[in-house]
mmCIF file of all heavy atoms in Angstrom:
data_model
loop_
_atom_site.group_PDB
_atom_site.id
_atom_site.type_symbol
_atom_site.label_atom_id
_atom_site.label_comp_id
_atom_site.label_asym_id
_atom_site.label_seq_id
_atom_site.Cartn_x
_atom_site.Cartn_y
_atom_site.Cartn_z
ATOM 1 N N VAL Q 1 3.745 -48.024 37.389
ATOM 2 C CA VAL Q 1 5.033 -48.627 37.004
ATOM 3 C C VAL Q 1 5.220 -49.970 37.687
ATOM 4 O O VAL Q 1 5.687 -50.927 37.057
ATOM 5 C CB VAL Q 1 6.191 -47.649 37.329
ATOM 6 C CG1 VAL Q 1 7.535 -48.357 37.275
ATOM 7 C CG2 VAL Q 1 6.183 -46.475 36.385
ATOM 8 N N LEU Q 2 4.860 -50.057 38.964
ATOM 9 C CA LEU Q 2 4.958 -51.346 39.653
ATOM 10 C C LEU Q 2 4.039 -52.391 39.022
ATOM 11 O O LEU Q 2 4.418 -53.549 38.859
ATOM 12 C CB LEU Q 2 4.639 -51.168 41.134
ATOM 13 C CG LEU Q 2 5.682 -50.432 41.949
ATOM 14 C CD1 LEU Q 2 5.208 -50.208 43.376
ATOM 15 C CD2 LEU Q 2 7.005 -51.187 41.937
ATOM 16 N N PHE Q 3 2.833 -51.976 38.640
ATOM 17 C CA PHE Q 3 1.924 -52.895 37.946
ATOM 18 C C PHE Q 3 2.536 -53.347 36.626
ATOM 19 O O PHE Q 3 2.487 -54.538 36.286
ATOM 20 C CB PHE Q 3 0.576 -52.221 37.710
ATOM 21 C CG PHE Q 3 -0.348 -53.026 36.859
ATOM 22 C CD1 PHE Q 3 -0.970 -54.161 37.357
ATOM 23 C CD2 PHE Q 3 -0.573 -52.680 35.545
ATOM 24 C CE1 PHE Q 3 -1.813 -54.932 36.577
ATOM 25 C CE2 PHE Q 3 -1.408 -53.439 34.727
ATOM 26 C CZ PHE Q 3 -2.033 -54.559 35.253
ATOM 27 N N MET Q 4 3.101 -52.421 35.881
ATOM 28 C CA MET Q 4 3.714 -52.787 34.596
ATOM 29 C C MET Q 4 4.925 -53.701 34.783
ATOM 30 O O MET Q 4 5.156 -54.590 33.980
ATOM 31 C CB MET Q 4 4.140 -51.529 33.826
ATOM 32 C CG MET Q 4 3.001 -50.824 33.128
ATOM 33 S SD MET Q 4 2.110 -51.875 31.993
ATOM 34 C CE MET Q 4 3.387 -52.304 30.838
ATOM 35 N N ASP Q 5 5.691 -53.467 35.873
ATOM 36 C CA ASP Q 5 6.835 -54.338 36.124
ATOM 37 C C ASP Q 5 6.397 -55.768 36.430
ATOM 38 O O ASP Q 5 7.043 -56.741 36.002
ATOM 39 C CB ASP Q 5 7.700 -53.793 37.263
ATOM 40 C CG ASP Q 5 8.565 -52.645 36.810
ATOM 41 O OD1 ASP Q 5 8.790 -52.523 35.590
ATOM 42 O OD2 ASP Q 5 9.015 -51.856 37.678
ATOM 43 N N VAL Q 6 5.305 -55.917 37.173
ATOM 44 C CA VAL Q 6 4.782 -57.260 37.430
ATOM 45 C C VAL Q 6 4.277 -57.884 36.136
ATOM 46 O O VAL Q 6 4.492 -59.070 35.877
ATOM 47 C CB VAL Q 6 3.653 -57.187 38.503
ATOM 48 C CG1 VAL Q 6 2.951 -58.524 38.635
ATOM 49 C CG2 VAL Q 6 4.230 -56.767 39.840
ATOM 50 N N LEU Q 7 3.636 -57.084 35.311
ATOM 51 C CA LEU Q 7 3.174 -57.567 34.011
ATOM 52 C C LEU Q 7 4.360 -57.951 33.124
ATOM 53 O O LEU Q 7 4.295 -58.924 32.372
ATOM 54 C CB LEU Q 7 2.308 -56.504 33.330
ATOM 55 C CG LEU Q 7 1.480 -56.923 32.149
ATOM 56 C CD1 LEU Q 7 0.504 -58.005 32.564
ATOM 57 C CD2 LEU Q 7 0.737 -55.730 31.603
ATOM 58 N N GLU Q 8 5.443 -57.211 33.235
ATOM 59 C CA GLU Q 8 6.656 -57.517 32.448
ATOM 60 C C GLU Q 8 7.271 -58.857 32.860
ATOM 61 O O GLU Q 8 7.906 -59.515 32.043
ATOM 62 C CB GLU Q 8 7.691 -56.399 32.609
ATOM 63 C CG GLU Q 8 7.373 -55.142 31.837
ATOM 64 C CD GLU Q 8 7.629 -55.309 30.366
ATOM 65 O OE1 GLU Q 8 8.684 -55.847 29.989
ATOM 66 O OE2 GLU Q 8 6.756 -54.907 29.592
ATOM 67 N N LEU Q 9 7.091 -59.259 34.118
ATOM 68 C CA LEU Q 9 7.565 -60.583 34.539
ATOM 69 C C LEU Q 9 6.833 -61.667 33.760
ATOM 70 O O LEU Q 9 7.449 -62.661 33.336
ATOM 71 C CB LEU Q 9 7.347 -60.785 36.041
ATOM 72 C CG LEU Q 9 8.269 -60.006 36.965
ATOM 73 C CD1 LEU Q 9 7.810 -60.159 38.410
ATOM 74 C CD2 LEU Q 9 9.702 -60.477 36.807
ATOM 75 N N LEU Q 10 5.538 -61.483 33.577
ATOM 76 C CA LEU Q 10 4.772 -62.442 32.792
ATOM 77 C C LEU Q 10 5.193 -62.402 31.329
ATOM 78 O O LEU Q 10 5.375 -63.438 30.692
ATOM 79 C CB LEU Q 10 3.274 -62.147 32.915
ATOM 80 C CG LEU Q 10 2.353 -62.974 32.022
ATOM 81 C CD1 LEU Q 10 2.361 -64.434 32.458
ATOM 82 C CD2 LEU Q 10 0.954 -62.407 32.051
ATOM 83 N N VAL Q 11 5.369 -61.205 30.802
ATOM 84 C CA VAL Q 11 5.752 -61.040 29.395
ATOM 85 C C VAL Q 11 7.137 -61.642 29.142
ATOM 86 O O VAL Q 11 7.386 -62.203 28.088
ATOM 87 C CB VAL Q 11 5.684 -59.550 28.990
ATOM 88 C CG1 VAL Q 11 6.315 -59.322 27.625
ATOM 89 C CG2 VAL Q 11 4.248 -59.056 29.008
ATOM 90 N N ALA Q 12 8.038 -61.533 30.109
ATOM 91 C CA ALA Q 12 9.391 -62.091 29.957
ATOM 92 C C ALA Q 12 9.315 -63.586 29.690
ATOM 93 O O ALA Q 12 9.977 -64.118 28.790
ATOM 94 C CB ALA Q 12 10.224 -61.814 31.194
ATOM 95 N N PHE Q 13 8.507 -64.292 30.480
ATOM 96 C CA PHE Q 13 8.360 -65.736 30.277
ATOM 97 C C PHE Q 13 7.575 -66.021 29.013
ATOM 98 O O PHE Q 13 7.934 -66.908 28.222
ATOM 99 C CB PHE Q 13 7.649 -66.369 31.481
ATOM 100 C CG PHE Q 13 7.298 -67.809 31.265
ATOM 101 C CD1 PHE Q 13 8.269 -68.787 31.390
ATOM 102 C CD2 PHE Q 13 6.017 -68.179 30.907
ATOM 103 C CE1 PHE Q 13 7.972 -70.116 31.179
ATOM 104 C CE2 PHE Q 13 5.695 -69.498 30.690
ATOM 105 C CZ PHE Q 13 6.679 -70.474 30.822
ATOM 106 N N LEU Q 14 6.497 -65.298 28.790
ATOM 107 C CA LEU Q 14 5.606 -65.554 27.665
ATOM 108 C C LEU Q 14 6.320 -65.386 26.330
ATOM 109 O O LEU Q 14 6.139 -66.191 25.411
ATOM 110 C CB LEU Q 14 4.396 -64.638 27.754
ATOM 111 C CG LEU Q 14 3.218 -64.963 26.874
ATOM 112 C CD1 LEU Q 14 2.663 -66.334 27.235
ATOM 113 C CD2 LEU Q 14 2.141 -63.915 27.036
ATOM 114 N N GLN Q 15 7.142 -64.371 26.200
ATOM 115 C CA GLN Q 15 7.853 -64.153 24.938
ATOM 116 C C GLN Q 15 8.890 -65.230 24.693
ATOM 117 O O GLN Q 15 9.078 -65.656 23.547
ATOM 118 C CB GLN Q 15 8.494 -62.755 24.908
ATOM 119 C CG GLN Q 15 7.489 -61.648 24.774
ATOM 120 C CD GLN Q 15 6.584 -61.835 23.577
ATOM 121 O OE1 GLN Q 15 7.032 -62.117 22.474
ATOM 122 N NE2 GLN Q 15 5.275 -61.693 23.793
ATOM 123 N N ALA Q 16 9.565 -65.685 25.736
ATOM 124 C CA ALA Q 16 10.514 -66.791 25.566
ATOM 125 C C ALA Q 16 9.768 -68.066 25.153
ATOM 126 O O ALA Q 16 10.220 -68.804 24.272
ATOM 127 C CB ALA Q 16 11.282 -67.026 26.865
ATOM 128 N N PHE Q 17 8.628 -68.298 25.762
ATOM 129 C CA PHE Q 17 7.829 -69.490 25.441
ATOM 130 C C PHE Q 17 7.321 -69.434 23.999
ATOM 131 O O PHE Q 17 7.429 -70.413 23.259
ATOM 132 C CB PHE Q 17 6.654 -69.589 26.429
ATOM 133 C CG PHE Q 17 5.790 -70.794 26.220
ATOM 134 C CD1 PHE Q 17 6.155 -72.022 26.726
ATOM 135 C CD2 PHE Q 17 4.622 -70.696 25.488
ATOM 136 C CE1 PHE Q 17 5.366 -73.143 26.532
ATOM 137 C CE2 PHE Q 17 3.822 -71.805 25.287
ATOM 138 C CZ PHE Q 17 4.196 -73.034 25.814
ATOM 139 N N ILE Q 18 6.781 -68.294 23.585
ATOM 140 C CA ILE Q 18 6.239 -68.164 22.229
ATOM 141 C C ILE Q 18 7.330 -68.286 21.174
ATOM 142 O O ILE Q 18 7.147 -68.967 20.170
ATOM 143 C CB ILE Q 18 5.463 -66.843 22.085
ATOM 144 C CG1 ILE Q 18 4.178 -66.905 22.912
ATOM 145 C CG2 ILE Q 18 5.147 -66.526 20.635
ATOM 146 C CD1 ILE Q 18 3.441 -65.594 23.008
ATOM 147 N N PHE Q 19 8.454 -67.629 21.396
ATOM 148 C CA PHE Q 19 9.566 -67.721 20.443
ATOM 149 C C PHE Q 19 10.015 -69.189 20.296
ATOM 150 O O PHE Q 19 10.234 -69.665 19.171
ATOM 151 C CB PHE Q 19 10.731 -66.840 20.906
ATOM 152 C CG PHE Q 19 11.775 -66.600 19.861
ATOM 153 C CD1 PHE Q 19 11.751 -65.435 19.112
ATOM 154 C CD2 PHE Q 19 12.780 -67.510 19.616
ATOM 155 C CE1 PHE Q 19 12.721 -65.192 18.150
ATOM 156 C CE2 PHE Q 19 13.751 -67.285 18.655
ATOM 157 C CZ PHE Q 19 13.715 -66.109 17.918
ATOM 158 N N THR Q 20 10.128 -69.885 21.415
ATOM 159 C CA THR Q 20 10.564 -71.277 21.370
ATOM 160 C C THR Q 20 9.511 -72.172 20.730
ATOM 161 O O THR Q 20 9.847 -73.069 19.946
ATOM 162 C CB THR Q 20 10.891 -71.761 22.796
ATOM 163 O OG1 THR Q 20 11.785 -70.836 23.410
ATOM 164 C CG2 THR Q 20 11.525 -73.137 22.776
ATOM 165 N N MET Q 21 8.245 -71.926 21.042
ATOM 166 C CA MET Q 21 7.193 -72.743 20.464
ATOM 167 C C MET Q 21 7.123 -72.555 18.946
ATOM 168 O O MET Q 21 6.992 -73.532 18.206
ATOM 169 C CB MET Q 21 5.841 -72.402 21.088
ATOM 170 C CG MET Q 21 4.726 -73.310 20.603
ATOM 171 S SD MET Q 21 3.124 -72.851 21.213
ATOM 172 C CE MET Q 21 2.888 -71.305 20.387
ATOM 173 N N LEU Q 22 7.222 -71.332 18.479
ATOM 174 C CA LEU Q 22 7.191 -71.093 17.038
ATOM 175 C C LEU Q 22 8.425 -71.662 16.353
ATOM 176 O O LEU Q 22 8.348 -72.150 15.228
ATOM 177 C CB LEU Q 22 7.018 -69.602 16.739
ATOM 178 C CG LEU Q 22 5.649 -69.038 17.087
ATOM 179 C CD1 LEU Q 22 5.624 -67.531 16.906
ATOM 180 C CD2 LEU Q 22 4.569 -69.696 16.261
ATOM 181 N N THR Q 23 9.564 -71.610 17.014
ATOM 182 C CA THR Q 23 10.764 -72.231 16.477
ATOM 183 C C THR Q 23 10.557 -73.734 16.310
ATOM 184 O O THR Q 23 10.894 -74.311 15.269
ATOM 185 C CB THR Q 23 11.980 -71.960 17.387
ATOM 186 O OG1 THR Q 23 12.195 -70.553 17.471
ATOM 187 C CG2 THR Q 23 13.219 -72.638 16.866
ATOM 188 N N ALA Q 24 9.992 -74.366 17.330
ATOM 189 C CA ALA Q 24 9.714 -75.796 17.236
ATOM 190 C C ALA Q 24 8.694 -76.103 16.151
ATOM 191 O O ALA Q 24 8.817 -77.097 15.428
ATOM 192 C CB ALA Q 24 9.211 -76.316 18.583
ATOM 193 N N LEU Q 25 7.727 -75.235 15.992
ATOM 194 C CA LEU Q 25 6.725 -75.424 14.929
ATOM 195 C C LEU Q 25 7.364 -75.323 13.548
ATOM 196 O O LEU Q 25 7.074 -76.143 12.660
ATOM 197 C CB LEU Q 25 5.616 -74.392 15.081
ATOM 198 C CG LEU Q 25 4.436 -74.496 14.125
ATOM 199 C CD1 LEU Q 25 3.643 -75.755 14.447
ATOM 200 C CD2 LEU Q 25 3.574 -73.276 14.248
ATOM 201 N N PHE Q 26 8.249 -74.341 13.358
ATOM 202 C CA PHE Q 26 8.941 -74.204 12.071
ATOM 203 C C PHE Q 26 9.845 -75.391 11.797
ATOM 204 O O PHE Q 26 9.924 -75.887 10.671
ATOM 205 C CB PHE Q 26 9.743 -72.905 12.014
ATOM 206 C CG PHE Q 26 8.907 -71.660 12.135
ATOM 207 C CD1 PHE Q 26 9.461 -70.484 12.589
ATOM 208 C CD2 PHE Q 26 7.553 -71.654 11.810
ATOM 209 C CE1 PHE Q 26 8.705 -69.323 12.705
ATOM 210 C CE2 PHE Q 26 6.795 -70.507 11.922
ATOM 211 C CZ PHE Q 26 7.369 -69.347 12.374
ATOM 212 N N ILE Q 27 10.537 -75.876 12.824
ATOM 213 C CA ILE Q 27 11.371 -77.065 12.667
ATOM 214 C C ILE Q 27 10.505 -78.264 12.329
ATOM 215 O O ILE Q 27 10.840 -79.057 11.452
ATOM 216 C CB ILE Q 27 12.208 -77.320 13.932
ATOM 217 C CG1 ILE Q 27 13.257 -76.233 14.108
ATOM 218 C CG2 ILE Q 27 12.897 -78.693 13.863
ATOM 219 C CD1 ILE Q 27 13.972 -76.263 15.444
ATOM 220 N N GLY Q 28 9.375 -78.374 12.992
ATOM 221 C CA GLY Q 28 8.473 -79.498 12.760
ATOM 222 C C GLY Q 28 7.932 -79.535 11.337
ATOM 223 O O GLY Q 28 7.822 -80.610 10.739
ATOM 224 N N THR Q 29 7.617 -78.364 10.786
ATOM 225 C CA THR Q 29 7.146 -78.348 9.394
ATOM 226 C C THR Q 29 8.260 -78.686 8.411
ATOM 227 O O THR Q 29 7.997 -79.196 7.330
ATOM 228 C CB THR Q 29 6.543 -76.981 9.012
ATOM 229 O OG1 THR Q 29 7.512 -75.957 9.221
ATOM 230 C CG2 THR Q 29 5.298 -76.700 9.837
ATOM 231 N N ALA Q 30 9.498 -78.409 8.785
ATOM 232 C CA ALA Q 30 10.619 -78.702 7.891
ATOM 233 C C ALA Q 30 11.039 -80.164 7.924
ATOM 234 O O ALA Q 30 11.560 -80.676 6.940
ATOM 235 C CB ALA Q 30 11.805 -77.808 8.230
ATOM 236 N N VAL Q 31 10.822 -80.848 9.045
ATOM 237 C CA VAL Q 31 11.314 -82.217 9.165
ATOM 238 C C VAL Q 31 10.201 -83.256 9.148
ATOM 239 O O VAL Q 31 10.494 -84.447 9.255
ATOM 240 C CB VAL Q 31 12.169 -82.396 10.455
ATOM 241 C CG1 VAL Q 31 13.363 -81.491 10.443
ATOM 242 C CG2 VAL Q 31 11.322 -82.236 11.699
#
């Protein structure tokens, strides 16, 4: 569980980064 919690810290940042990057990509294709 402690290992997974440390991994979840990475996933927390990574998912925010990926969501934002894909949003920017979709905006970029539209404009």
Side-chain angles (χ1 to χ4, degrees):
V1 166
L2 289 175
F3 172 74
M4 281 303 299
D5 282 340
V6 171
L7 194 60
E8 285 285 315
L9 287 172
L10 173 68
V11 170
F13 172 79
L14 194 61
Q15 289 306 312
F17 182 82
I18 290 171
F19 194 97
T20 308
M21 185 184 67
L22 290 174
T23 299
L25 185 69
F26 298 156
I27 292 170
T29 58
V31 300

